[in-house]
């Protein structure tokens, strides 16, 4: 049976939420990933050092890594939820002072910028991209080598939002050439093309945007569990994403954007945006890369590129995947995953 081993898989864009949801979803990521870049769009968003450190503490608790309770640790390990997992923390972008950024730099992997109101819990994001207002913060981030992570969508027509944002990436990348800018969860050929135009632009890509286009979301019966921001685009956009992911393009990293919402918030007349993929992401990646004869490039996409781009050294983890069918559960503690109830072709055999 075909097998494939991955070392230190990383999820460079993950929503872990808080409270009971955090406790339910965090072990699903910490089981198979060495670390993840944790998004700050809580309610309220993570904007202070104390909130950041408290949140990190809650994540470590939820993944059984605060060693106060040995019995709990043993239980997690017995259930296969042990193992080390590093939450790489982010702050929600505000116009912060340099003093504050110096104080917090060692605790974060980057700062996440949301245009105001454009996605889940982004109401207090950036209302207008006024370089004069943003310059002191972005210059300080550049000096301190703090990457800027961006949800790149305007408030234009839904299919054009990401492409329209390219001029803002252009402006930021040109004005701050030493600032590393990560275009998060890209969905368009326009964004793929940007990678070769600016040395300081990088991107994350989700598994769902590699597997689906808009037809899968609304072309037949409407699929709320495939609805997310940015929405999946045209087949040619999907093809452009696939080509850079499958080649292991050095500026491209895997970021699941796994975004859990309770079932009632997805299966509602106003459907929350977000696709939940954390527990099946590596299996789906193995299946996709295998079917495209690109398994040899998966290690770069799912870990090595991110280690170079972010200069990080993740916790050791070896994940063995095997080409054996896996029936995706209908839900994980009330959160419906992508492909719920369907059979996928690869499984996780072992995690060391
Ligand atoms: C994310 C969420 O639910 O927090 N939703 C989504 O559709 N991707 C927010 C985000 O990443 O934009
Ligand atoms: Zn986003
Ligand atoms: Zn996200």
């Amino acid at each position: 049976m075909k097998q494939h081993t991955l070392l230190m898989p990383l999820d460079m864009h993950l929503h872990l939420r808080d409270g009971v949801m955090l406790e339910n979803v965090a072990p699903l990521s910490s089981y198979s990933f060495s670390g993840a870049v944790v998004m700050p769009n809580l309610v309220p968003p993570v904007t202070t050092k104390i909130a950041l450190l408290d949140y990190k503490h809650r994540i470590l608790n939820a993944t059984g890594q605060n060693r106060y309770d040995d019995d709990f640790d043993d239980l997690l390990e017995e259930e296969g939820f042990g193992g080390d997992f590093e939450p790489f923390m982010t702050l929600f972008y505000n116009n912060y002072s340099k003093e504050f950024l110096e104080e917090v730099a060692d605790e974060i992997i980057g700062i996440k910028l949301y245009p105001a109101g454009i996605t889940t819990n982004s109401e207090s994001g950036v209302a207008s991209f006024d370089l004069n207002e943003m310059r002191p913060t972005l210059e300080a981030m550049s000096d301190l080598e703090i990457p800027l992570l961006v949800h790149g969508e305007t408030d234009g027509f839904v299919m054009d939002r990401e492409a329209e944002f390219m001029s803002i990436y252009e402006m930021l990348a040109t004005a701050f050439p030493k600032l590393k800018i990560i275009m998060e969860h890209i969905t368009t050929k326009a964004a793929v093309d940007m990678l070769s135009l600016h040395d300081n632009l990088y991107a994350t890509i989700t598994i769902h945007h590699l597997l689906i286009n808009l037809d899968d979301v609304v072309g037949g019966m409407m699929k709320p569990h495939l609805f997310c921001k940015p929405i999946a685009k045209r087949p040619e956009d999907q093809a452009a994403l696939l080509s850079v992911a499958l080649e292991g393009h050095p500026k491209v990293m895997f970021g699941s954007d796994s975004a859990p919402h309770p079932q009632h918030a997805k299966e509602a007349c106003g459907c929350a945006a977000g696709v939940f993929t954390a527990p099946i992401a590596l299996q789906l990646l193995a299946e996709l890369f295998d079917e495209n004869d690109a398994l040899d490039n998966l290690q770069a996409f799912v870990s090595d590129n991110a280690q170079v781009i972010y200069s990080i050294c993740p916790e050791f983890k070896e994940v063995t995947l095997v080409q054996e069918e896996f029936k995706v559960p209908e839900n994980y503690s009330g959160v419906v995953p992508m492909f719920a109830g369907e059979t996928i072709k690869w499984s996780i055999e072992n995690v060391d």
Side-chain angles (χ1 to χ4, degrees):
M1 201 175 299
K2 205 186 273 186
Q3 281 196 343
H4 189 75
T5 298
L6 293 173
L7 292 176
M8 282 87 91
L10 295 168
D11 183 346
M12 301 310 285
H13 182 133
L14 177 65
H15 298 272
L16 286 176
R17 312 301 192 204
D18 212 342
V20 175
M21 180 69 94
L22 167 66
E23 280 163 28
N24 287 334
V25 300
L28 301 171
S29 287
S30 68
Y31 170 56
S32 54
F33 287 91
S34 273
V37 174
V38 180
M39 292 297 129
N41 62 333
L42 304 182
V43 186
V46 182
T47 55
T48 65
K49 186 171 178 181
I50 188 90
L52 181 98
L53 295 178
D54 280 353
Y55 186 36
K56 183 171 184 177
H57 189 81
R58 294 196 295 281
I59 294 168
L60 292 174
N61 270 333
T63 55
Q65 296 182 91
N66 277 338
R67 308 276 168 194
Y68 302 137
D69 182 346
D70 288 343
D71 290 346
F72 184 58
D73 274 2
D74 291 347
L75 186 72
L76 285 173
E77 248 158 55
E78 264 168 39
E79 292 186 2
F81 289 141
D84 291 322
F85 172 81
E86 180 158 5
F88 296 105
M89 305 304 291
T90 61
L91 276 177
F92 188 97
Y93 184 93
N94 275 335
N95 288 326
Y96 294 112
S97 71
K98 183 156 192 183
E99 294 68 42
F100 171 74
L101 293 174
E102 278 166 350
E103 214 180 288
V104 82
D106 286 347
E107 306 294 341
I108 57 175
I109 193 165
I111 297 183
K112 177 70 189 290
L113 186 156
Y114 293 88
I118 214 66
T119 189
T120 310
N121 305 336
S122 64
E123 289 68 25
S124 64
V126 171
S128 80
F129 286 81
D130 180 338
L131 265 199
N132 289 330
E133 273 175 35
M134 299 172 77
R135 180 168 280 113
T137 305
L138 294 174
E139 247 159 31
M141 287 173 63
S142 179
D143 289 349
L144 295 166
E145 298 181 7
I146 301 172
L148 177 72
L149 288 57
V150 183
H151 179 114
E153 288 195 287
T154 67
D155 60 0
F157 177 65
V158 67
M159 286 293 280
D160 298 335
R161 286 176 191 175
E162 184 173 290
E164 285 175 3
F165 200 87
M166 293 304 129
S167 60
I168 298 176
Y169 280 131
E170 187 101 56
M171 174 182 82
L172 294 171
T174 310
F176 306 98
K178 296 223 162 66
L179 178 68
K180 279 191 175 162
I181 301 171
I182 292 96
M183 303 186 284
E184 294 295 334
H185 48 43
I186 59 170
T187 61
T188 56
K189 180 172 183 305
V192 170
D193 290 344
M194 286 294 283
L195 289 169
S196 53
L197 297 182
H198 295 275
D199 286 349
N200 56 335
L201 283 184
Y202 303 86
T204 59
I205 301 182
T206 72
I207 180 64
H208 47 284
H209 290 117
L210 293 171
L211 293 176
I212 64 170
N213 59 55
L214 189 61
D215 250 6
D216 299 291
V217 188
V218 290
M221 300 275 263
M222 205 267 281
K223 299 280 174 45
H225 299 291
L226 300 182
F227 171 66
C228 67
K229 304 279 179 78
I231 191 118
K233 303 293 190 312
R234 307 181 64 85
E236 50 269 39
D237 294 305
Q238 184 188 0
L241 300 173
L242 270 170
S243 81
V244 282
L246 293 171
E247 78 174 64
H249 188 299
K251 297 182 95 182
V252 166
M253 304 168 271
F254 173 63
S256 71
D257 193 19
S258 178
H261 293 276
Q263 185 166 4
H264 64 79
K266 295 289 294 175
E267 297 174 8
C269 60
C271 165
V275 180
F276 181 55
T277 53
I280 52 164
L282 291 179
Q283 298 91 314
L284 291 175
L285 283 168
E287 178 174 339
L288 174 71
F289 276 63
D290 180 40
E291 280 175 356
N292 288 279
D293 287 323
L295 267 180
D296 287 348
N297 295 337
L298 183 54
Q299 180 65 33
F301 181 59
V302 84
S303 185
D304 296 356
N305 293 345
Q307 292 185 45
V308 174
I309 293 167
Y310 277 103
S311 307
I312 50 173
C313 200
E315 307 278 345
F316 181 81
K317 196 165 278 186
E318 188 180 70
V319 179
T320 306
L321 293 140
V322 58
Q323 195 179 38
E324 189 176 283
E325 289 189 344
F326 174 68
K327 184 158 185 283
V328 180
E330 293 292 345
N331 75 79
Y332 290 85
S333 312
V335 182
V336 179
M338 187 185 191
F339 297 146
E342 294 178 38
T343 300
I344 61 177
K345 294 198 181 121
W346 282 69
S347 322
I348 293 178
E349 188 180 64
N350 189 47
V351 181
D352 274 327

